[in-house]
């Protein structure tokens, strides 16, 4: 996420591709794609529907589309508090991926 923030200059409306982030990190694109997969599953980023960029293959020079991503807009827990009360539910976040701990990425010291 830090590489994306560096690339976008912390602009929440910025759009980016896996290649742009890989270049920012000085990394191969394949592991960045894997990380993006998790970030999409955990609803940290999302594909921008209807916005596609083109790339060209190295060998044949053929064009192909690539996905464009952005940060997923966040909703605050207070936004849903009244709905939880209306339906008699406790706002525990039960069933969410964050509640299950699947999206709590460990930070490794360098």
């Amino acid at each position: 996420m830090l590489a994306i923030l560096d690339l976008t200059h912390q602009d929440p409306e910025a759009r980016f591709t896996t290649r742009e982030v890989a270049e920012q990190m000085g990394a191969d694109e394949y592991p960045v794609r894997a990380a993006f997969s998790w970030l999409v599953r955990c609803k940290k980023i999302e594909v921008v529907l209807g916005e596609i960029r083109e790339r060209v293959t190295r060998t044949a020079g053929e064009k192909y589309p690539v996905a464009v991503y952005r940060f997923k807009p966040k909703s605050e827990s207070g936004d849903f508090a009244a709905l939880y009360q209306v339906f008699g539910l406790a706002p525990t976040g039960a069933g969410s991926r964050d509640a299950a701990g699947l999206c709590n990425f460990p930070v490794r010291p360098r």
Side-chain angles (χ1 to χ4, degrees):
M1 290 276 290
L2 294 175
I4 298 171
L5 291 172
D6 288 344
L7 176 70
T8 62
H9 304 290
Q10 312 241 354
D11 177 8
E13 298 297 319
R15 282 136 162 77
F16 44 89
T17 66
T18 54
R19 176 182 271 181
E20 292 167 349
V21 173
E23 288 174 356
Q24 174 75 19
M25 295 175 65
D28 291 331
E29 189 176 1
Y30 185 78
V32 173
R33 285 186 200 160
F36 271 41
S37 174
W38 275 103
L39 291 171
V40 168
R41 285 184 197 162
C42 293
K43 299 181 181 178
K44 304 293 183 190
I45 63 174
E46 64 185 1
V47 174
V48 179
L49 298 176
E51 185 173 338
I52 297 175
R53 296 186 189 164
E54 287 187 344
R55 287 181 37 190
V56 179
T57 61
R58 291 182 205 162
T59 54
E62 297 172 344
K63 292 182 180 181
Y64 65 96
V66 294
V68 177
Y69 298 87
R70 68 177 172 198
F71 290 107
K72 186 155 178 84
K74 292 183 181 179
S75 60
E76 298 297 323
S77 59
D79 296 344
F80 298 100
L83 286 175
Y84 282 123
Q85 290 177 359
V86 168
F87 292 107
L89 301 172
T92 60
S96 72
R97 287 189 169 110
D98 284 333
L102 297 176
C103 293
N104 297 327
F105 300 106
V107 178
R108 294 186 200 164
R110 293 186 177 221

